[in-house]
Amino acid sequence: MPRFTEIRAGAVALVLIGTAAAEEIPPEPGTGTLARTPAVASTDMVVAANPLAAEAGARILRAGGGAIDAAIATQMVLNLVEPQSSGIGGGAFLLYYDAVSGVVTSYDGREVAPAAVAADQFLDPDGAPRGYLDALVGGHAVGVPGLLKMLDRAHREHGLLPWPDLFAPAIDLAAAGFRISPRLNRLIEKVPTLRRLDATVGYFMTEDGAAKPVGTVLANPRLAETFRLIAEHGVEVFYSGAIGHDLVAAVQTVPINPGRLTTADLAGYQARIRNPVCLDYRGFTVCGMGPPSSGGLTSLQMLGLLRRFDLGRLDPNSATAVHLFAEAGRLAFADRDLFIADPDYAPVPVAALLNRAYLAQRAALIDPKRSHGPVVAGRPPGITGGHWVPGTSPELPATSHLSIVDRNANAVALTTSIEFAFGSALMVRGFLLNNQLTDFSFVPTRDGRAVANRVEPGKRPRSSMAPSLVFDPDGRLMLVIGSPGGSRIICYVAKVIVGVIDWGLDVQAAIDLPNRCNRNGDTDLERGTGLARIGDALEAMGHIVAERDMNSGLHGIMITETGLIGAADPRREGVAIGR
């Protein structure tokens, strides 16, 4: 079986435009979408969820580094300044595009379950699923972190600068400190799990238990020292050395939900190369991350289901456009919930789920004037029996995405996570540990049949992360995109791709579009964006409509004949920096 899919692409012509950074205007939750001016550049571009992180990546590019080098530097600073979303205590998926060979390589740095996990890991003594917030705190839900092993592998294969150089921006900033942003302050204040463990309370809160105020300089000398050790000694100091020893001890001895992770689990972790999943959409080739993430496959299914409809003739925010998009999501999520899990444990029928005839058959269920309501998974070609049953996993949003294009037109789309906001709330040597095991189905079996995404030793939990690359009809890379947002990531990324291809929008305008999503239930409309005006029309078509805060963090780069267009989501505090 091939370990990668080759996508051939021609050279991208770049013409000098200038250097710019998108405005940083983070809205308060629920205030709606704010339009931004995109950044433009001619040489390279970094788009990330925090200006300090994006500047770290840009600094590496200016020093002669490539896209992988810049991604590592950006991620390390994100670990410091956006600790609620990602870091070395978690995992990630990365797509790398090599402009010379035209090859897309798909890296899997997803966490894995310790060898000692049990099938009833997330059930209470009566056999009922535990409460999500109770299950995630402490060590019980900590999976073996995969981020560093994945980045190390990508760097050995594609890096240009020495490994230690990539940690310098984060080390300097962790030692000196950074100012707490309004968004970080709000999350410290409202996330209840932070108050249950002493280390996080001491770091993030004042003596009277309040969130440290906006503008407070927050230094993290312990993280600076952790980064120095990894920079000097490589990732083995994390997986087999002193850092790993402390990590395992913290998981096993934490007073709330002690976990089962061992030094053997940590030392045995391997980053994987997976086959990207790709689909033709109106002559464009869209590629995403394959299983164990459901993000690429499900967003591609949505696009494949929408091929029979002329979306380009519709207003993006019309009831008809939202209806069709929601119905496509409904069908795709039904398949996702049944079929997608770690392919090493539950074979995923990738080709069958993307089969053009199968998608056309499923698309025929979409009535342009009436909602179907909840649907069951389809029967892709070659699938003969009901081997699996759908599971349940909360998969709440707390993730980050960065997009990078370097001076040689190589590109990175990296989505990275510790799962819930501030992960397990368990802090070791200055970084937070993930709670990714709660991305498994809490219920392992139903009616005597297994759930594909049930917890098992050594297994990777299903994800919805969807780093994506889009190639134009001539095979040239034209879009790098991805987002945080839990399972709604799939809708967010699909919205941008439809916005660019069907509605002719630039990447910033496509990101700015109000979010909409259906995960085979309610049709969610982004609160405060004006989409509520079509709520009555959607309800008349049979939808159950819910207005929600849909806090995407879409970060993308569009490659055009005249240069690079970088776009950061106005719903967060990210920025695009190029030259």
Side-chain angles (χ1 to χ4, degrees):
M1 180 179 294
R3 300 187 69 185
F4 54 84
T5 298
E6 294 191 3
I7 304 296
R8 299 292 169 183
V12 178
L14 299 179
V15 178
L16 181 63
I17 293 181
T19 303
E23 302 171 60
E24 180 198 355
I25 314 176
E28 293 289 330
T31 58
T33 305
L34 301 175
R36 284 193 178 183
T37 302
V40 292
S42 63
T43 304
D44 50 41
M45 182 77 73
V46 179
V47 193
N50 182 281
L52 295 169
E55 177 53 37
R59 169 178 160 183
I60 293 298
L61 292 178
R62 291 193 295 267
I68 289 292
D69 301 314
I72 295 169
T74 302
Q75 170 67 88
M76 295 309 135
V77 173
L78 283 174
N79 193 152
L80 174 70
V81 300
E82 200 193 31
Q84 70 274 13
S85 295
S86 71
I88 61 175
F93 294 108
L94 186 154
L95 294 184
Y96 177 72
Y97 169 68
D98 185 296
V100 173
S101 66
V103 170
V104 174
T105 305
S106 172
Y107 292 92
D108 172 0
R110 185 66 161 161
E111 298 87 344
V112 303
V117 297
D120 61 354
Q121 179 96 355
F122 297 111
L123 301 179
D124 66 21
D126 296 326
R130 293 185 64 188
Y132 177 70
L133 293 181
D134 289 333
L136 71 84
V137 178
H140 194 59
V142 176
V144 182
L147 177 71
L148 278 172
K149 273 284 183 78
M150 184 198 75
L151 293 178
D152 175 65
R153 180 168 185 173
H155 179 258
R156 285 187 282 107
E157 294 173 357
H158 301 288
L160 300 178
L161 295 183
W163 176 259
D165 294 2
L166 311 180
F167 288 77
I171 291 170
D172 293 344
L173 192 59
F178 68 99
R179 295 191 182 277
I180 292 177
S181 70
R183 184 166 187 273
L184 178 55
N185 167 266
R186 290 195 300 269
L187 287 167
I188 295 170
E189 188 64 46
K190 76 177 186 178
V191 174
T193 52
L194 275 184
R195 289 166 169 78
R196 298 186 64 183
L197 293 173
D198 291 342
T200 48
V201 169
Y203 181 63
F204 290 110
M205 296 172 188
T206 63
E207 290 184 1
D208 61 0
K212 290 182 178 178
V214 173
T216 301
V217 175
L218 191 62
N220 193 335
R222 297 200 70 194
L223 184 60
E225 178 58 25
T226 296
F227 284 156
R228 286 191 192 97
L229 288 171
I230 297 168
E232 292 172 6
H233 302 290
V235 298
E236 289 311 315
V237 73
F238 183 96
Y239 287 92
S240 301
I243 299 171
H245 178 273
D246 287 356
L247 189 160
V248 170
V251 168
Q252 292 182 354
T253 63
V254 62
I256 301 174
N257 290 334
R260 299 166 178 170
L261 191 148
T262 68
T263 54
D265 292 322
L266 200 60
Y269 184 87
Q270 295 295 321
R272 301 285 302 274
I273 290 181
R274 304 282 188 181
N275 291 323
V277 291
C278 299
L279 180 89
D280 173 81
Y281 184 64
R282 309 197 198 283
F284 296 80
T285 300
V286 183
C287 290
M289 187 73 212
S293 183
S294 66
L297 194 51
T298 309
S299 60
L300 293 184
Q301 274 202 308
M302 287 183 67
L303 296 175
L305 292 163
L306 289 168
R307 280 185 296 214
R308 70 177 282 233
F309 302 101
D310 188 1
L311 298 183
R313 299 182 62 182
L314 301 174
D315 182 311
N317 296 325
S318 66
T320 301
V322 173
H323 162 72
L324 294 174
F325 189 87
E327 294 299 285
R330 187 187 299 283
L331 290 161
F333 271 86
D335 280 358
R336 167 192 180 270
D337 291 343
L338 183 64
F339 293 114
I340 304 179
D342 183 342
D344 297 330
Y345 287 72
V348 181
V350 173
L353 289 169
L354 296 180
N355 178 274
R356 182 176 282 270
Y358 170 68
L359 290 174
Q361 174 191 2
R362 293 285 279 171
L365 298 175
I366 299 176
D367 182 336
K369 296 183 178 180
R370 186 74 188 168
S371 175
H372 188 289
V375 297
V376 297
R379 186 63 60 86
I383 304 301
T384 57
H387 187 53
W388 308 118
V389 288
T392 56
S393 55
E395 206 173 345
L396 299 184
T399 300
S400 198
H401 178 83
L402 59 95
S403 293
I404 298 175
V405 174
D406 68 22
R407 67 187 182 282
N408 295 317
N410 305 310
V412 163
L414 169 64
T415 309
T416 171
S417 182
I418 57 172
E419 221 286 285
F420 187 61
F422 304 98
S424 63
L426 180 56
M427 204 168 194
V428 179
R429 287 182 174 248
F431 62 92
L432 288 159
L433 296 180
N434 71 85
N435 65 289
Q436 294 286 10
L437 299 190
T438 56
D439 272 355
F440 286 114
S441 174
F442 281 28
V443 178
T445 60
R446 282 183 173 172
D447 301 323
R449 289 187 292 166
V451 173
N453 187 42
R454 68 193 184 279
V455 63
E456 297 179 84
K459 189 176 183 179
R460 302 178 188 224
R462 185 180 66 201
S463 169
S464 293
M465 291 186 273
S468 300
L469 303 173
V470 181
F471 298 85
D472 72 15
D474 294 322
R476 294 172 296 195
L477 180 67
M478 63 166 286
L479 182 64
V480 185
I481 191 66
S483 181
S487 58
R488 292 191 184 94
I489 289 172
I490 292 160
C491 297
Y492 299 154
V493 170
K495 177 202 73 171
V496 172
I497 295 170
V498 168
V500 169
I501 294 176
D502 288 292
W503 295 318
L505 302 174
D506 68 42
V507 62
Q508 186 68 66
I511 288 173
D512 292 347
L513 281 175
N515 286 323
R516 68 290 307 265
C517 192
N518 189 299
R519 297 173 294 173
N520 202 19
D522 293 352
T523 294
D524 298 332
L525 305 179
E526 186 177 6
R527 192 192 314 276
T529 60
L531 274 190
R533 65 179 175 77
I534 64 170
D536 289 345
L538 289 171
E539 288 179 346
M541 299 169 81
H543 292 265
I544 298 173
V545 174
E547 280 193 84
R548 304 185 189 277
D549 294 325
M550 299 174 72
N551 191 24
S552 57
L554 288 150
H555 295 126
I557 301 171
M558 181 180 284
I559 300 96
T560 74
E561 292 184 355
T562 55
L564 304 173
I565 301 173
D569 200 318
R571 301 163 183 87
R572 299 202 183 195
E573 57 190 13
V575 66
I577 299 176
R579 59 174 178 154

